[in-house]
Amino acid sequence: MNRLKRLGEILYAMDAYDVFEFYKLTGASALQFLIFDIGFITEDLNFDLDTNLDVSKVNEIRNLVNQVLPQLLQKKNFTIDVKQTKLTGKLDTYVIKDNQSSEMYRLNFNYLNRVHILNPEYFARKDNHFEDLHIYALSNLENYARYIVELLEGKYDDKILNDLLTNKKILPQQYPFVRKLIAFYISISESSKYIDLNQLNEKLKDLLAFSDKELKYLEDSQKGIFELSLILPPTMSDK
């Protein structure tokens, strides 16, 4: 739990600066805060940028984050490892050291995924572990889908999956919609061509029972064709 508390300190630091409201926690890195006592703690905080601003404004946001992040983290006793940190065209990965424990963490800011199927949400956590921790994240259903794609990509094990299914965090009646979200995020995953849907964790059998339209969408996406109307209603596919 100490690691989760230290990850929470990073969120506290970011909450002190308004620009970070554009950044939403995703997937497993969000669920570890949103599902209490899940027993799974990552070394990463993964964020999607959430904005429809034009590229020039996005670059201004990005440059501001680059400027203020080192000072904000320093106040919480973290140091950025400049040699391991990588800033690329679509993803900024900051490798940071916890000066209290010498553990290493990664902050991943994804600038490619800017608009999401569901509206992101704001959560506040106040319990024995955190005092009014503000969590800006994708919606729970979207985070469930993102985690499952991360699982298919081999980034995480199935500890969270056990909790989601055993404790019915994802209800059977939600499976059809979550399945559509999963199909969408598989299609834009850099690892999509390596995901073998014929060799799935048995626990995912019902959740990933894709329809013919969903399978066609996935097949077309491998050719660079993203016909979202195959998997989403018009209001969502247009978005």
Side-chain angles (χ1 to χ4, degrees):
M1 183 53 67
N2 185 60
R3 182 190 291 178
L4 186 62
K5 285 185 177 180
R6 289 300 283 157
L7 287 171
E9 288 294 323
I10 296 172
L11 298 185
Y12 281 127
M14 294 170 63
D15 194 39
Y17 218 92
D18 289 345
V19 70
F20 289 103
E21 291 183 8
F22 289 105
Y23 295 81
K24 312 300 181 183
L25 271 175
T26 70
S29 66
L31 294 177
Q32 65 187 336
F33 290 103
L34 301 177
I35 301 177
F36 293 3
D37 301 320
I38 197 170
F40 180 94
I41 302 174
T42 74
E43 297 174 350
D44 301 76
L45 292 179
N46 298 320
F47 299 87
D48 278 0
L49 192 70
D50 179 63
T51 179
N52 57 6
L53 293 173
D54 63 39
V55 173
S56 63
K57 292 297 183 182
V58 170
N59 286 334
E60 289 179 16
I61 292 171
R62 194 174 194 177
N63 291 335
L64 182 57
V65 168
N66 290 341
Q67 291 172 21
V68 302
L69 191 61
Q71 291 81 16
L72 292 177
L73 292 174
Q74 191 173 41
K75 291 178 181 178
K76 298 295 184 179
N77 209 7
F78 294 97
T79 303
I80 293 179
D81 187 323
V82 177
K83 291 184 178 180
Q84 294 191 63
T85 291
K86 295 181 180 179
L87 310 182
T88 68
K90 59 185 178 182
L91 182 71
D92 287 350
T93 297
Y94 294 88
V95 178
I96 64 173
K97 179 181 179 181
D98 183 349
N99 296 327
Q100 293 182 2
S101 66
S102 296
E103 289 196 63
M104 305 299 290
Y105 301 103
R106 288 178 297 273
L107 306 185
N108 300 304
F109 299 130
N110 188 323
Y111 288 89
L112 184 63
N113 296 334
R114 295 183 193 166
V115 179
H116 302 89
I117 295 172
L118 300 174
N119 292 326
E121 298 183 26
Y122 165 79
F123 304 87
R125 177 170 173 176
K126 189 173 184 178
D127 55 19
N128 293 333
H129 304 304
F130 297 105
E131 182 177 345
D132 196 23
L133 179 67
H134 298 167
I135 304 164
Y136 298 91
L138 299 189
S139 69
N140 273 340
L141 289 182
E142 204 146 357
N143 281 320
Y144 297 155
R146 290 290 289 272
Y147 159 69
I148 289 168
V149 175
E150 292 168 344
L151 178 64
L152 296 174
E153 291 172 327
K155 293 180 180 177
Y156 299 114
D157 59 28
D158 63 0
K159 288 181 181 178
I160 291 181
L161 180 65
N162 293 337
D163 188 272
L164 295 182
L165 300 182
T166 302
N167 296 316
K168 291 185 167 46
K169 303 292 185 183
I170 308 178
L171 299 172
Q173 57 264 38
Q174 294 173 319
Y175 283 12
F177 185 66
V178 173
R179 187 179 302 128
K180 296 177 186 298
L181 297 176
I182 292 170
F184 171 71
Y185 282 108
I186 287 176
S187 74
I188 63 171
S189 164
E190 290 187 349
S191 304
S192 60
K193 62 183 178 182
Y194 303 112
I195 294 174
D196 186 353
L197 296 176
N198 294 315
Q199 294 187 9
L200 292 175
N201 186 316
E202 185 64 25
K203 298 169 187 173
L204 290 171
K205 183 178 178 181
D206 293 335
L207 185 55
L208 296 186
F210 292 112
S211 68
D212 289 342
K213 284 187 176 181
E214 290 159 354
L215 288 172
K216 178 170 173 46
Y217 170 79
L218 288 168
E219 291 170 4
D220 287 349
S221 70
Q222 292 293 318
K223 305 169 189 175
I225 302 169
F226 297 89
E227 188 55 62
L228 286 164
S229 62
L230 287 171
I231 61 171
L232 295 172
T235 52
M236 290 183 175
S237 61
D238 290 347
K239 179 181 177 182

